[in-house]
Amino acid sequence: KRALEGIPHDFAFSFDVMEPSRGTKEAVKQIVAAVTRDSRFTAAPILPIVHAPYSKKEETYILRAIPEVIRSVAEQLAPPLIAVPERELGKGLVERAQNVQRIRQELDKLPFYQPLHVLGTGNPWSIAVLTAAGADSFDGLEWCRVAVDREANRLNHFQHFDLFTYQSGWADSPLLANLLRDDKTDFNAKAAFHNLDYFTLLGKELRSAAAKGSLEAFVASILGSSYKLLVKKMPSLFP
């Protein structure tokens, strides 16, 4: 409540139900109740987050019912976004993409289009692949934790930004291009600006590819030689 009172916002994610019931109906009730509770503190839309129950015995998240839970929550609330954490969708990118596909297939049963947000996704490869699988938006902290190699669409240690300063001239934003050239700009700030410009451009190109129906070509351009292996492991991505 204090956060919502003190920070201007257009939307807010609900306070998570971190350990939802394994029963589908009960889990849906818990998530809807959390959204209803938090909606009392703001006039802006509260967005639901759906967590997967964790099995200590199996040492893994239980994902069988997640698509149905997400669809049922969306059916009751019709939120601008409904979110799921990437780390709970599987142990590798392919498994996570397969589960995003399952979620999208379930959401497509609704009479309206329900956007899906994936929490904690800031890797450009993951963003591209999960978009193709059916996700709509993402958030992550990679922009301030790594240094992007724009040439290879790969992430590197933050201190390695020294090796990518030659890419400063590639900045799409004139404002950021000037800051990157300015000797008064701190090293950490330059690395962050470099990353922010890259992710802004990535978003533009991703939306353009989706609008043109050319996501497969976009994913191939991001992944390079790894694209063929992805398609081999997940033929359902681009049938």
Side-chain angles (χ1 to χ4, degrees):
K1 179 182 179 182
R2 290 195 300 271
L4 291 171
E5 286 176 342
I7 301 172
H9 58 282
D10 300 299
F11 306 96
F13 283 111
S14 66
F15 198 81
D16 309 38
V17 178
M18 296 296 296
E19 298 180 2
S21 169
R22 294 191 185 188
T24 300
K25 291 183 179 179
E26 185 59 33
V28 172
K29 286 181 181 178
Q30 291 171 337
I31 296 161
V32 171
V35 171
T36 302
R37 175 199 64 213
D38 296 346
S39 294
R40 298 198 303 268
F41 305 136
T42 177
I46 291 291
L47 311 176
I49 298 175
V50 178
H51 286 275
Y54 185 78
S55 170
K56 292 182 179 179
K57 182 178 179 181
E58 300 175 34
E59 296 185 341
T60 188
Y61 289 98
I62 303 171
L63 296 166
R64 291 184 295 274
I66 282 296
E68 185 180 353
V69 170
I70 292 176
R71 177 187 57 77
S72 297
V73 171
E75 199 169 36
Q76 292 192 37
L77 300 175
L81 285 176
I82 189 165
V84 62
E86 183 192 352
R87 67 181 181 276
E88 297 179 10
L89 292 174
K91 295 182 179 179
L93 179 57
V94 171
E95 185 182 358
R96 292 175 180 187
Q98 289 170 336
N99 280 310
V100 167
Q101 270 194 330
R102 290 176 57 229
I103 293 168
R104 175 51 59 201
Q105 289 164 1
E106 193 68 22
L107 288 175
D108 284 347
K109 296 177 182 178
L110 295 168
F112 57 89
Y113 185 80
Q114 175 61 63
L116 176 67
H117 182 83
V118 185
L119 295 160
T121 299
N123 187 293
W125 285 29
S126 298
I127 290 171
V129 173
L130 296 181
T131 297
D136 298 277
S137 60
F138 312 89
D139 72 273
L141 289 171
E142 278 77 357
W143 69 271
C144 65
R145 289 180 172 172
V146 301
V148 178
D149 177 357
R150 300 181 70 139
E151 196 166 18
N153 295 294
R154 298 296 296 270
L155 306 182
N156 302 270
H157 200 287
F158 195 81
Q159 280 83 355
H160 292 176
F161 173 63
D162 282 328
L163 304 178
F164 306 108
T165 52
Y166 73 94
Q167 298 176 3
S168 298
W170 303 1
D172 187 57
S173 163
L175 172 63
L176 293 182
N178 289 334
L179 288 169
L180 286 166
R181 288 192 295 264
D182 192 340
D183 292 337
K184 295 179 181 178
T185 305
D186 174 78
F187 176 92
N188 291 342
K190 282 188 176 183
F193 291 147
H194 166 84
N195 294 338
L196 285 170
D197 186 81
Y198 168 82
F199 280 112
T200 301
L201 184 59
L202 179 73
K204 288 180 183 177
E205 293 176 344
L206 184 56
R207 290 189 294 274
S208 176
K212 294 176 182 177
S214 58
L215 272 176
E216 183 173 6
F218 180 82
V219 172
S221 69
I222 293 291
L223 267 63
S225 58
S226 296
Y227 167 74
K228 291 182 179 179
L229 184 60
L230 170 70
V231 173
K232 184 178 180 180
K233 288 179 175 289
M234 192 179 174
S236 63
L237 190 62
F238 299 112

